[in-house]
Amino acid sequence: MSEEQKSTKTRRIVPIGPYHPLQEEPEFFKLIVEGETVVDMEINIGYNHRGHEFISPELTYDQIPFLVERICGICSNSHPLACVLAIEDCAGIEPPPRANYIRSIIHELERIHSHLLWVGLGGHFIGYNTVWMWAWKYREHVLQVFEMITGNRNHYAANKPGGVRRDISKEQVPQVLAALDLAEEKTKLLTNAVLDDPVILGRLANVGILTKADAIAYSTVGPTSRGSGVPWDVRKDDPHAAYAEVPWDRVVFEEGDVLAKAKVRLLETFESIKIVRGCLENLPDGPIEARIEEIPPGEGIGHTEAPRGEVFHYIRSDGSNRPLRHKVRAPSFMNIASNVVAVRGGSIADAALTLAAVDPCYCCTERMAAFEDGRLKYTWNDLLKLSWQKTERLREKLK
Amino acid sequence: MSWSGWGLAFNFLIFPGFLFSAVVGLVLTWVDRIVSARVQYRRGPPVFQPFADLFKLLLKQTIVPDGASKTVFLLAPMLGLAAMCLTSGLLFYVNFNPQGSFVGDLIVLVYLLGLAPLALVIGASASRNPLSAVGASREMMLYFGYELPFLLALLVPIIKSGGAIRLGELIVAQQAGGPFLYSISGVIAALIVLFTTQAKLGYVPFDMAEAEQEIMSGVFAEYSGASLAVFKLTKAMMLFLLPLFMITVFWGGFGDWWAILKFLLIVVLVVLMKNTNPRFRIDQALRFFWFILGVFGIVAVVLAFVRL
């Protein structure tokens, strides 16, 4: 945009946040608009520092999976899975095959319910509340499967270093398969209803386009990149758990618009159902965990494909029962940044949709932000000073 | 019913004006909510829920934002409400006394129905909120969008009745020659008015002015307490009056008990349309109204001229 054009039209700021009206999570998107057209956007995060990477080195390796499970409520299997993969990498052991299969089953069931959740939210974002309610109703079948095989609808606590915590019994297998059939049938119905609706297509197609070059430049991951023609999928490219042993295909679309992302998620649901079926049918016998005697000094990485993209965990060990350093990279942190290019040129209505199309998980993304509006807010010493001042205030109160 | 002072006051405030249309309108919002709930596999609220919501809102604090124009901000809801009370009085009066009304009341009604969105635009613009401003501009554009096909569609009954612009004459003509709906041009015109009803009510797919997911309720963003309650009440009354207007103009007036069934049918159609569509973008809505419904409107007018 040239300087001349800038002066002719007044620019206003339309804020989305600091508390998202719909997703009810802390983030701040400053849409800079001319009339209804979005010309630029600024992203601010860092409203809710949660300190997981700080807490983790104070816990033992057995406790850490329970901590990282709480990073996210929806992908609450991907963080523990990536974490135990990192610990196992550091310890240099392999989990037994049955544990690998169970890990894949839980991970894919999670993907199904997460993608259905997004379809519902996407419907809500374009004002189609019926799709919202229907998608979440069909998601319920998957949550019931979770309750049956792990004891919980969310926060399954399935993983531990060396294996899994709960076995799937022979009696449960046909029940899970029956529930899957039901979920597949209903999801098919929903997919056809969504992808055949001309008004939905009119709202989603050619909206918020993220080109392949931008998708690579912004290091997007997961369905966001696969909707832009970047076929990166950790499950295929670096197979872990049982992903190399069951047949499935990656879903990639080239268009890069919101519709492509929706298609990726809807069709991936069926691939996930295929994986769970394959795993359940070929479930090997044997133990469900390998015993870890000690974790030697060194470092390990684990990454897995969460519903929103690649989750990456890094662990450094000094040989004790606690890690020296634990680093987490969540997929939404990469994807949200790509919104800046995707919303440009669209209307406000499209922007709200585009921002939701990356399936952002703000609780994964929230972290201490030192920079705001391009300026350094706090240095290390400032933070220390603030902390001391707060301690002083608390002491005053206690007196 | 006379046009004397007390009679007018009664007509305007009690029946069929404010009180009656408010109660029926609130019951209809319950119908809206229960039908929506059943479509979405939910139970839905009990019948007194809209009343409870309204009274709760009336008891809440009304906050006027800093820097807003206080008088305009608080008077705008009353403008819409008053317009709807008048509409209700007029519509009922002509339905029971087809001979009684004045010449040109159809035109007056069209403008009264236009006052409700205008009240929203005025109130939202006075609130000095950027999101409300976006909502107001959308409401304005939407109004310009649907008014053209709406007026074209209203030409059809006028032509069919031989140039009557008095609602009473339209009703008499329909009682003599059958409702205007039962002809090709009538069906097209009624469908156009149905879509316009949806837009006037601010229901999906035309709820972009108050899109809570995009601009956080847009025009209503700064309204709270009693002033919000008045807006909600106005919308509820419109849910009652717009289908009634459709029946009066196209479907033989409110002459017999069948009219109640026709009325409920239109309300349920509106609610179903609301629940089986996503929201249009404002430019898509404009294109829809001007280039699709506008063309259909012209076709309907031409068909009406050749007595189809």
Side-chain angles (χ1 to χ4, degrees):
Chain A
M1 179 134 308
S2 68
E3 285 299 316
E4 201 177 328
Q5 274 170 309
K6 256 185 205 170
S7 57
T8 52
K9 275 192 162 180
T10 48
R11 291 190 167 194
R12 280 181 303 134
I13 287 174
V14 171
I16 301 183
Y19 182 73
H20 199 287
L22 209 65
Q23 291 167 329
E24 288 147 6
E25 284 175 289
E27 45 62 54
F28 191 18
F29 297 116
K30 238 189 241 174
L31 298 179
I32 300 166
V33 298
E34 284 174 2
E36 275 254 350
T37 314
V38 179
V39 290
D40 207 352
M41 184 177 78
E42 284 172 21
I43 303 173
N44 276 339
I45 56 168
Y47 292 93
N48 187 8
H49 179 44
R50 304 175 67 202
H52 274 93
E53 288 179 8
F54 180 74
I55 301 170
S56 180
E58 301 182 353
L59 301 176
T60 64
Y61 286 112
D62 286 335
Q63 293 167 327
I64 292 172
F66 298 104
L67 172 76
V68 293
E69 189 158 16
R70 266 79 189 162
I71 290 179
C72 179
I74 300 301
C75 37
S76 56
N77 191 59
S78 41
H79 281 289
L81 181 55
C83 176
V84 296
L85 286 175
I87 296 172
E88 283 159 10
D89 182 30
C90 193
I93 60 147
E94 272 290 314
R98 190 175 174 87
N100 270 337
Y101 273 73
I102 293 176
R103 279 178 181 179
S104 274
I105 290 169
I106 306 258
H107 202 50
E108 290 313 303
L109 283 172
E110 176 182 84
R111 194 179 317 278
I112 300 169
H113 101 72
S114 176
H115 282 352
L116 284 179
L117 180 116
W118 179 84
V119 171
L121 262 185
H124 186 38
F125 262 95
I126 53 173
Y128 202 162
N129 287 349
T130 307
V131 164
W132 178 28
M133 291 292 162
W134 285 28
W136 284 28
K137 180 184 159 66
Y138 299 148
R139 173 176 169 257
E140 206 60 19
H141 300 300
V142 183
L143 294 183
Q144 277 161 5
V145 170
F146 270 129
E147 190 166 6
M148 183 166 69
I149 62 178
T150 70
N152 244 341
R153 286 157 58 87
N154 266 307
H155 292 303
Y156 332 106
N159 294 293
K160 67 189 283 188
V164 290
R165 293 181 65 241
R166 256 182 188 242
D167 202 358
I168 295 178
S169 72
K170 275 207 175 66
E171 297 78 51
Q172 281 169 340
V173 173
Q175 292 178 36
V176 177
L177 285 173
L180 269 186
D181 288 341
L182 204 60
E184 185 178 26
E185 185 197 323
K186 300 293 186 191
T187 314
K188 230 170 224 162
L189 192 101
L190 190 73
T191 308
N192 292 338
V194 168
L195 295 183
D196 286 346
D197 191 317
V199 188
I200 291 190
L201 294 186
R203 272 311 300 276
L204 301 190
N206 295 322
V207 164
I209 294 177
L210 183 70
T211 58
K212 188 169 180 174
D214 282 333
I216 294 170
Y218 278 84
S219 303
T220 57
V221 287
T224 309
S225 66
R226 288 198 286 278
S228 297
V230 184
W232 174 240
D233 188 327
V234 184
R235 294 173 294 170
K236 273 272 193 243
D237 298 327
D238 183 14
H240 47 278
Y243 287 118
E245 290 151 54
V246 287
W248 63 281
D249 302 310
R250 50 178 126 202
V251 184
V252 182
F253 284 90
E254 299 289 334
E255 295 87 353
D257 53 2
V258 177
L259 183 64
K261 291 176 186 127
K263 276 190 202 158
V264 167
R265 294 208 174 87
L266 280 165
L267 299 184
E268 258 186 17
T269 313
F270 297 110
E271 294 303 318
S272 295
I273 291 173
K274 220 198 262 178
I275 297 175
V276 178
R277 274 219 191 95
C279 285
L280 281 172
E281 278 156 12
N282 305 320
L283 199 57
D285 290 325
I288 57 165
E289 59 169 311
R291 198 167 158 70
I292 298 182
E293 293 297 341
E294 73 176 310
I295 293 170
E299 47 187 16
I301 59 164
H303 60 166
T304 179
E305 187 75 15
R308 283 154 191 78
E310 182 194 6
V311 165
F312 181 92
H313 278 241
Y314 165 85
I315 294 259
R316 168 173 287 206
S317 159
D318 59 353
S320 71
N321 63 347
R322 285 148 213 255
L324 207 57
R325 173 82 173 98
H326 184 183
K327 164 78 187 153
V328 179
R329 195 189 76 166
S332 294
F333 188 63
M334 314 309 297
N335 290 338
I336 287 175
S338 75
N339 284 332
V340 174
V341 283
V343 298
R344 245 174 239 161
S347 68
I348 298 175
D350 288 342
L353 192 59
T354 312
L355 295 178
V358 301
D359 197 1
C361 174
Y362 298 115
C363 47
C364 290
T365 309
E366 277 304 306
R367 58 205 64 222
M368 177 64 214
F371 277 87
E372 191 174 295
D373 300 331
R375 280 177 294 117
L376 186 63
K377 270 201 312 189
Y378 304 112
T379 60
W380 178 254
N381 288 333
D382 291 340
L383 284 174
L384 265 184
K385 221 174 268 171
L386 280 174
S387 167
W388 289 335
Q389 282 166 0
K390 187 174 182 188
T391 315
E392 278 306 311
R393 277 205 305 277
L394 290 176
R395 274 195 191 139
E396 285 294 319
K397 260 187 204 165
L398 285 174
K399 266 178 194 169
Chain B
M1 213 178 290
S2 69
W3 290 102
S4 70
W6 285 111
L8 265 184
F10 181 81
N11 197 340
F12 183 69
L13 289 177
I14 314 282
F15 180 88
F18 173 66
L19 199 65
F20 176 72
S21 53
V23 169
V24 178
L26 285 176
V27 172
L28 286 174
T29 54
W30 172 75
V31 173
D32 167 13
R33 288 171 71 169
I34 200 97
V35 172
S36 301
R38 288 301 145 93
V39 171
Q40 300 171 356
Y41 293 122
R42 291 186 287 115
R43 285 184 67 85
V47 68
F48 59 82
Q49 191 63 48
F51 296 91
D53 289 349
L54 187 79
F55 284 120
K56 191 195 79 179
L57 265 185
L58 283 174
L59 296 175
K60 293 265 180 186
Q61 188 189 3
T62 302
I63 298 166
V64 181
D66 274 350
S69 160
K70 196 170 178 181
T71 328
V72 181
F73 183 75
L74 291 179
L75 273 182
M78 301 314 286
L79 173 69
L81 187 74
M84 283 307 118
C85 294
L86 264 180
T87 312
S88 175
L90 255 176
L91 268 179
F92 262 79
Y93 188 72
V94 293
N95 267 302
F96 292 115
N97 303 296
Q99 313 299 338
S101 184
F102 53 91
V103 175
D105 53 359
L106 180 63
I107 298 169
V108 173
L109 249 176
V110 167
Y111 278 95
L112 281 178
L113 288 175
L115 275 183
L118 196 65
L120 272 179
V121 171
I122 294 173
S125 309
S127 73
R128 226 186 139 213
N129 180 319
L131 298 172
S132 294
V134 174
S137 84
R138 287 183 181 185
E139 179 80 44
M140 208 65 217
M141 281 159 84
L142 189 64
Y143 178 74
F144 288 134
Y146 63 63
E147 212 59 5
L148 172 76
F150 184 58
L151 291 177
L152 282 174
L154 287 187
L155 278 179
V156 171
I158 295 175
I159 295 164
K160 281 184 169 280
S161 64
I165 45 168
R166 208 162 60 81
L167 282 170
E169 281 177 42
L170 292 182
I171 292 171
V172 173
Q174 293 189 70
Q175 280 164 353
F180 299 138
L181 182 65
Y182 304 150
S183 63
I184 300 173
S185 58
V187 168
I188 297 175
L191 275 177
I192 293 172
V193 175
L194 188 70
F195 279 116
T196 317
T197 301
Q198 198 83 2
K200 279 180 186 285
L201 283 168
Y203 276 2
V204 181
F206 305 114
D207 69 330
M208 53 291 275
E210 50 175 302
E212 66 160 301
Q213 295 91 352
E214 295 160 15
I215 48 174
M216 286 137 256
S217 300
V219 284
F220 298 126
E222 289 292 347
Y223 276 99
S224 57
S227 55
L228 181 63
V230 171
F231 266 137
K232 295 274 173 205
L233 196 60
T234 312
K235 288 266 170 189
M237 287 162 75
M238 284 170 85
L239 185 57
F240 168 49
L241 294 172
L242 288 168
L244 186 66
F245 176 71
M246 248 184 102
I247 289 180
T248 310
V249 178
F250 287 105
W251 215 348
F254 223 80
D256 47 16
W257 292 109
W258 282 108
I260 294 182
L261 261 184
K262 294 176 189 171
F263 179 79
L264 281 178
L265 182 74
I266 294 176
V267 172
V268 170
L269 260 182
V270 165
V271 174
L272 284 183
M273 209 200 302
K274 170 186 168 186
N275 280 301
T276 49
N277 277 297
R279 181 186 310 120
F280 276 121
R281 234 173 19 231
I282 184 70
D283 54 313
Q284 291 171 333
L286 279 185
R287 232 174 292 146
F288 175 73
F289 277 118
W290 280 348
F291 300 125
I292 299 178
L293 287 194
V295 170
F296 273 105
I298 293 168
V299 170
V301 170
V302 171
L303 286 177
F305 265 119
V306 297
R307 301 189 175 282
L308 267 172

